[in-house]
């Protein structure tokens, strides 16, 4: 087992990893930018080291500075969390060259699955159902239009290196295709330094269902059930839950087996997520694989009673999985709400600033993952997520009631947040009946989609 782990991240996920390491008796090193000098993760870690100024390109995305910090602090391994360098194959390769364990899959696997067009091709060859579309990447609007016409409109234009809703556009006909393609490609170049695109048939009103998998170095792969991530704004997740009301036991078995098959097809090792689209006819299609821990991993932890961060660390240290698929039992229902520093009434404009008062709910089945505290100044330089509120109860109806109660008790004063918007979602009749898909927010909350 590792003696010391450096966490190459910030905010609530850094705090989450530090706490898991502390319980395992592993020392931790926090890295921080000048803007995060007083952040909670720097206070909780055993050691902390500044890696640069506020811009992430000069701190959390600077591979050489992070590697140098790891060597200087004599850490054995790096946990990248999510975002930043977590799916960067070059960083994983650099860690290997410096004899530092990267807590995640190898650079080769990140390359294969992180590039979405390459992942589609790999899954096709493995016999995993994928959304109809391009098998090879495309680079120009002209060649992409030919492919789109053969697939049939509407189509989804996607960046191969995209994520977080960036580099994605829906085109419903040839007349708007070129403009949408160029905009998506421009976003990809700006955000990911990659002009590689691909085309998929757009599945109308699907559910976004993802399966959590764990895989060790000895060929053992299990799935931990699904998460329903259909509540989205501009392809960015807002609220997640597990299990999905749309999934029967038989469908869960088939989708889970497919997720395991997909992971085995690439020799995957560590924690990962296989994302599917589920259409109205209960047909499912592979969409992409996330080669890292997910923001929404706590809902899976709640219904399986497993610690995914600890499992990641154990796998990276060379341990075999201590359980089989038959040992995985889904109990009850869990929901996670992402509380962000943003104003839904102003097109979800980020709202950094000083928090003057925080009160968090508690009680049985209520979990808070956060790095904020009274008088904490939310910097304008990073993602706007402040807190994840997770509840767990015996069934979905009880979990919804618990989440509404918890949201009603949560107080964050001094800045604008999306807390009230989350409460509106939980109070919506269609949501309560489980009638949700990826168009839920535009359909029921058009005032927030201008």
């Amino acid at each position: 087992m590792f003696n010391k782990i450096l966490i190459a991240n910030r905010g609530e996920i850094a705090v989450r990893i530090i706490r898991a390491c502390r319980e395992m008796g592993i020392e931790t090193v926090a890295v921080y930018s000048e803007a995060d000098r007083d952040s909670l993760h720097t206070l909780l870690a055993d050691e902390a080291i500044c890696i640069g100024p506020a811009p992430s390109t000069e701190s959390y995305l600077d591979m050489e500075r992070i590697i140098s910090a790891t060597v200087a602090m004599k850490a054995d391994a790096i946990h990248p969390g999510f975002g930043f360098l977590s799916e960067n194959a070059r960083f994983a390769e650099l860690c290997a060259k410096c004899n530092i364990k990267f807590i995640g899959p190898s650079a080769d696997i990140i390359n294969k699955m992180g590039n979405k067009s390459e992942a589609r091709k790999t899954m096709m060859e493995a016999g995993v159902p994928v959304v109809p579309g391009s098998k090879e990447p495309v680079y120009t609007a002209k060649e992409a239009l030919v492919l789109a016409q053969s697939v049939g409109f509407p189509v989804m234009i996607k960046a191969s290196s995209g994520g977080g809703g960036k580099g994605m556009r829906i085109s419903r006909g040839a007349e708007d295709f070129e403009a949408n393609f160029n905009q998506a490609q421009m976003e990809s170049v700006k955000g990911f330094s990659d002009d590689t695109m691909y085309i998929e048939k757009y599945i109308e009103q699907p559910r976004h269902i993802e399966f959590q998998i764990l895989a060790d170095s000895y060929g053992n792969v299990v799935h931990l059930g699904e998460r329903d991530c259909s509540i989205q704004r501009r392809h960015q997740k807002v609220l997640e839950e597990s299990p999905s009301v749309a999934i029967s036991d038989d469908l869960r078995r088939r989708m889970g087996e497919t997720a395991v098959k997909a992971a085995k097809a690439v020799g995957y090792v560590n924690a990962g997520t296989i994302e599917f689209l589920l259409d109205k006819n209960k047909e499912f299609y592979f969409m992409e694989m996330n080669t890292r821990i997910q923001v929404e991993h706590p809902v899976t932890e709640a219904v399986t009673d497993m610690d995914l961060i600890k499992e990641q660390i154990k796998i990276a240290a060379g341990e075999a999985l201590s359980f089989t698929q038959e040992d995985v039992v889904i109990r009850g229902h869990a929901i996670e709400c992402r509380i962000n520093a943003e104003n839904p009434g102003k097109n979800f404009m980020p709202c950094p600033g000083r928090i003057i008062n925080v009160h968090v709910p508690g009680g049985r089945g209520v979990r808070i993952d956060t790095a904020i505290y009274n008088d904490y100044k939310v910097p304008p330089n990073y993602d706007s997520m402040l807190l994840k509120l997770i509840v767990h109860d015996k069934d979905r109806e009880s979990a919804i009631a618990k989440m509404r109660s918890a949201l009603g008790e949560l107080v964050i004063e001094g800045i604008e947040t999306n807390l009230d918007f989350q409460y509106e979602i939980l109070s919506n009749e269609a949501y309560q009946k489980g009638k949700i898909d990826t168009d839920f927010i535009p359909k029921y909350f058009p005032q927030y989609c201008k």
Side-chain angles (χ1 to χ4, degrees):
M1 186 49 67
F2 306 115
N3 293 313
K4 186 186 292 187
I5 293 175
L6 181 138
I7 297 99
N9 217 296
R10 64 179 299 279
E12 61 85 15
I13 188 60
V15 171
R16 167 76 183 89
I17 297 165
I18 289 167
R19 287 173 174 157
C21 289
R22 183 185 285 172
E23 292 175 21
M24 297 176 76
I26 301 171
E27 293 183 12
T28 54
V29 179
V31 295
Y32 63 91
S33 70
E34 291 172 2
D36 277 337
R37 189 173 298 275
D38 297 321
S39 291
L40 186 59
H41 75 288
T42 70
L43 304 174
L44 290 181
D46 296 294
E47 299 172 280
I49 182 171
C50 183
I51 53 169
S56 57
T57 52
E58 300 176 49
S59 51
Y60 299 107
L61 288 172
D62 192 314
M63 301 182 203
E64 292 184 3
R65 291 189 184 192
I66 291 175
I67 292 292
S68 295
T70 307
V71 173
M73 304 304 281
K74 299 180 179 179
D76 313 303
I78 292 176
H79 197 306
F82 48 70
F84 293 131
L85 296 171
S86 61
E87 293 182 286
N88 189 301
R90 182 165 163 256
F91 182 62
E93 186 176 17
L94 191 58
C95 288
K97 286 181 178 178
C98 295
N99 201 30
I100 298 167
K101 188 64 180 181
F102 178 79
I103 300 177
S106 68
D108 287 344
I109 293 175
I110 294 174
N111 261 329
K112 183 171 285 189
M113 300 309 288
N115 184 297
K116 293 175 175 55
S117 60
E118 180 68 21
R120 276 177 55 83
K121 183 179 179 181
T122 301
M123 292 301 105
M124 288 178 185
E125 293 170 352
V128 173
V130 301
V131 179
S134 48
K135 187 173 183 179
E136 302 293 339
V138 292
Y139 298 92
T140 68
K142 184 177 180 180
E143 63 176 328
L145 178 58
V146 173
L147 182 58
Q149 289 172 327
S150 68
V151 171
F153 289 101
V155 297
M156 180 71 83
I157 303 164
K158 288 187 173 183
S160 288
S161 299
K166 295 179 181 177
M168 297 173 65
R169 290 290 188 281
I170 298 169
S171 176
R172 296 189 176 277
E175 59 279 357
D176 71 355
F177 183 84
E178 184 174 353
N180 279 314
F181 182 90
N182 290 336
Q183 288 173 358
Q185 191 174 50
M186 194 181 306
E187 276 187 16
S188 181
V189 171
K190 184 178 178 181
F192 311 105
S193 300
D194 188 356
D195 66 349
T196 310
M197 309 297 290
Y198 67 103
I199 306 299
E200 283 183 349
K201 177 71 176 175
Y202 179 62
I203 307 297
E204 300 278 5
Q205 299 179 324
R207 284 182 183 255
H208 181 139
I209 306 292
E210 60 187 32
F211 273 71
Q212 177 70 57
I213 62 101
L214 288 173
D216 64 24
S217 302
Y218 308 97
N220 302 306
V221 184
V222 299
H223 74 81
L224 304 182
E226 81 280 4
R227 298 185 288 255
D228 195 323
C229 306
S230 302
I231 307 293
Q232 301 179 5
R233 179 187 68 82
R234 296 178 185 167
H235 310 295
Q236 292 183 307
K237 299 166 187 174
V238 175
L239 177 155
E240 303 94 0
E241 57 185 296
S242 180
S244 170
V245 294
I247 306 293
S248 65
D249 288 342
D250 178 65
L251 183 55
R252 179 175 296 109
R253 177 188 58 76
R254 290 190 287 119
M255 292 182 75
E257 288 175 353
T258 302
V260 169
K261 180 180 180 180
K264 287 184 174 181
V266 293
Y268 195 82
V269 176
N270 213 265
T273 305
I274 308 293
E275 302 200 350
F276 297 104
L277 288 179
L278 181 70
D279 70 16
K280 291 180 286 187
N281 299 316
K282 305 295 185 183
E283 296 293 329
F284 62 91
Y285 306 92
F286 170 84
M287 183 169 57
E288 63 186 44
M289 183 178 194
N290 287 299
T291 56
R292 53 171 168 79
I293 197 71
Q294 293 274 85
V295 174
E296 58 273 19
H297 75 272
V299 294
T300 296
E301 293 184 327
V303 297
T304 61
D305 196 28
M306 292 186 185
D307 189 313
L308 295 184
I309 302 296
K310 289 182 180 178
E311 293 299 330
Q312 280 193 293
I313 294 170
K314 290 176 183 177
I315 291 169
E319 294 187 17
L321 291 177
S322 60
F323 56 92
T324 65
Q325 191 64 63
E326 289 69 33
D327 297 321
V328 178
V329 179
I330 308 298
R331 293 185 175 89
H333 198 94
I335 303 172
E336 172 182 289
C337 286
R338 303 187 187 194
I339 307 301
N340 299 332
E342 61 188 14
N343 187 334
K346 294 185 178 179
N347 200 27
F348 294 88
M349 179 180 69
C351 298
R354 190 172 298 280
I355 295 173
I356 60 174
N357 182 42
V358 178
H359 170 77
V360 297
R364 186 181 65 85
V366 177
R367 168 177 166 180
I368 301 287
D369 279 19
T370 189
I372 66 172
Y373 52 83
N374 285 340
D375 206 37
Y376 172 68
K377 187 176 181 180
V378 180
N381 314 89
Y382 313 112
D383 184 86
S384 64
M385 189 168 66
L386 300 172
L387 176 151
K388 297 184 321 200
L389 175 57
I390 306 102
V391 301
H392 179 240
D393 215 317
K394 61 182 179 180
D395 53 35
R396 188 171 187 266
E397 183 179 359
S398 302
I400 291 173
K402 180 165 285 183
M403 180 61 85
R404 292 178 68 195
S405 174
L407 286 169
E409 187 179 343
L410 177 60
V411 175
I412 303 174
E413 295 180 334
I415 59 174
E416 296 283 346
T417 74
N418 66 334
L419 201 161
D420 290 342
F421 177 50
Q422 291 280 14
Y423 193 87
E424 289 181 65
I425 293 173
L426 270 291
S427 302
N428 178 274
E429 183 178 357
Y431 173 78
Q432 292 181 356
K433 291 181 178 179
K435 297 179 179 179
I436 59 176
D437 55 51
T438 55
D439 291 329
F440 177 86
I441 289 178
K443 181 177 181 180
Y444 292 102
F445 301 96
Q447 67 273 29
Y448 297 131
C449 302
K450 296 177 183 177

